[in-house]
């Protein structure tokens, strides 16, 4: 595998970008259908877990998803926030704590090695984070950990950059169509800038790869929620 960004490099990049990741109205402009998927996932959690008691958000950023979710539930759940960036965690806790009487816990570090209690969470949120996983063993270990952390009947909710398994489809959907979207958003130089940091930092896998892996590690039901070019959202139930 080509040299990718280290965890430290990823942490340092996000430390400098808290304000941009705190906007509920716009989401990330480089992410297709960001606000739609935030509504879809938080509506889905509220519908699937009406007695929501414990939430885990890995790679929580500035806390947009818990903030949105807590506006849709009255159960005052405990919320655990995990992120590589301490400034992101600080902002997330500042925004989330006033919205629930439950306990808000922040954990600075990598979710893969974080000390999290098994069979505990009603729902796990994993948005724009899994593309930082690397080889097959890394992906399988992460998905197995998600399964172990959830209570029976619990669910994981994923929204992320995804790859295509067929090279021609990757060229069509990512390079051509997503590239055109980025160029229209600003210009060709901006497209090239985004493509460069994706190449350096990210290792996305396809929806099929991830949904098959979710079933492999034990999830009973997997639901594709939405896909637009190289971005997709899906959920899995223990």
């Amino acid at each position: 595998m080509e040299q990718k960004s280290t965890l430290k490099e990823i942490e340092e990049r996000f430390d400098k970008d808290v304000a941009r990741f705190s906007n509920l109205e716009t989401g990330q402009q480089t992410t297709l259908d960001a606000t739609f998927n935030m509504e879809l996932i938080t509506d889905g959690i509220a519908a699937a877990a009406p007695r929501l008691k414990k939430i885990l958000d890995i790679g929580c950023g500035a806390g947009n998803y818990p903030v949105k979710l807590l506006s849709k539930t009255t159960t005052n759940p405990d919320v655990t926030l995990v992120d590589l960036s301490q400034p992101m965690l600080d902002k997330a806790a500042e925004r989330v704590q006033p919205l629930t009487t439950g306990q808000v816990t922040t954990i600075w570090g990598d979710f893969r090695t974080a000390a999290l209690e098994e069979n505990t969470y009603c729902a796990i949120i994993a948005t724009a984070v899994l593309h930082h996983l690397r080889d097959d063993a890394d992906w399988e270990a992460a998905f197995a950990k998600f399964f172990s952390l959830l209570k029976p009947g619990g669910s994981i909710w994923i929204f992320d950059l995804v790859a295509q398994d067929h090279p021609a489809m990757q060229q069509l959907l990512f390079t051509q169509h997503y590239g055109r979207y980025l160029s229209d958003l600003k210009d060709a130089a901006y497209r090239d800038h985004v493509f460069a940091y994706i190449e350096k930092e990210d290792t996305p896998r396809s929806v099929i790869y991830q949904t098959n892996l979710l079933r492999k590690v034990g999830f009973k039901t997997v639901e594709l929620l939405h896909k637009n070019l190289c971005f997709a959202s899906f959920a899995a139930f223990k």
Side-chain angles (χ1 to χ4, degrees):
M1 183 179 292
E2 69 272 23
Q3 185 63 40
K4 292 284 188 177
S5 298
T6 65
L7 288 179
K8 186 63 176 176
E9 289 171 331
I10 294 170
E11 174 190 341
E12 289 171 351
R13 184 172 81 81
F14 283 101
D15 281 351
K16 302 171 184 176
D17 223 1
V18 175
R20 187 165 64 92
F21 283 86
S22 305
N23 194 322
L24 284 175
E25 285 68 42
T26 63
Q28 292 303 298
Q29 288 185 308
T30 56
T31 303
L32 299 176
D33 302 330
T35 55
F36 173 77
N37 278 282
M38 187 186 300
E39 293 288 354
L40 185 62
I41 284 175
T42 52
D43 281 346
I45 296 171
R51 293 182 292 278
L52 191 64
K53 296 299 181 185
K54 290 183 179 292
I55 307 162
L56 170 64
D57 188 350
I58 62 161
C60 65
N64 281 349
Y65 274 76
V67 167
K68 181 64 71 172
L69 176 59
L70 291 169
S71 73
K72 301 177 179 183
T73 180
T74 59
T75 59
N76 286 299
D78 295 339
V79 181
T80 300
L81 304 164
V82 181
D83 204 274
L84 289 174
S85 169
Q86 188 63 54
M88 287 286 191
L89 281 172
D90 293 343
K91 175 57 71 172
E94 174 189 309
R95 299 170 73 208
V96 170
Q97 186 62 86
L99 304 178
T100 180
T101 58
Q103 182 176 355
V104 176
T105 303
T106 61
I107 299 174
W108 173 71
D110 187 340
F111 77 88
R112 293 171 294 184
T113 56
L116 296 163
E117 189 176 352
E118 295 187 353
N119 298 304
T120 294
Y121 299 98
C122 303
I124 298 173
I125 300 168
T127 59
V129 64
L130 300 183
H131 60 256
H132 293 136
L133 298 173
R134 299 305 184 210
D135 59 19
D136 287 343
D138 200 14
W139 280 88
E140 184 161 351
F143 278 34
K145 182 165 187 173
F146 297 149
F147 185 82
S148 73
L149 295 174
L150 288 166
K151 297 172 62 175
S155 52
I156 181 165
W157 301 78
I158 298 167
F159 173 51
D160 217 328
L161 175 72
V162 296
Q164 312 306 311
D165 287 324
H166 195 287
M169 294 300 98
Q170 179 71 2
Q171 173 69 20
L172 176 66
L173 299 184
F174 179 78
T175 307
Q176 293 184 32
H177 284 281
Y178 182 52
R180 185 178 305 123
Y181 167 81
L182 293 172
S183 295
D184 291 345
L185 193 61
K186 290 191 179 178
D187 52 32
Y190 181 70
R191 174 202 62 202
D192 295 344
H193 169 73
V194 173
F195 277 1
Y197 81 64
I198 289 174
E199 179 64 26
K200 172 66 174 172
E201 187 172 297
D202 304 339
T203 320
R205 295 298 179 95
S206 71
V207 174
I208 299 300
Y209 175 92
Q210 295 183 64
T211 54
N212 285 344
L213 185 55
L214 287 164
R215 291 189 178 94
K216 180 181 177 181
V217 302
F219 285 94
K220 295 178 181 177
T221 305
V222 181
E223 296 283 355
L224 177 62
L225 305 175
H226 182 72
K227 186 175 187 296
N228 185 356
L229 300 181
C230 52
F231 290 88
S233 60
F234 43 101
F237 299 82
K238 184 172 179 177

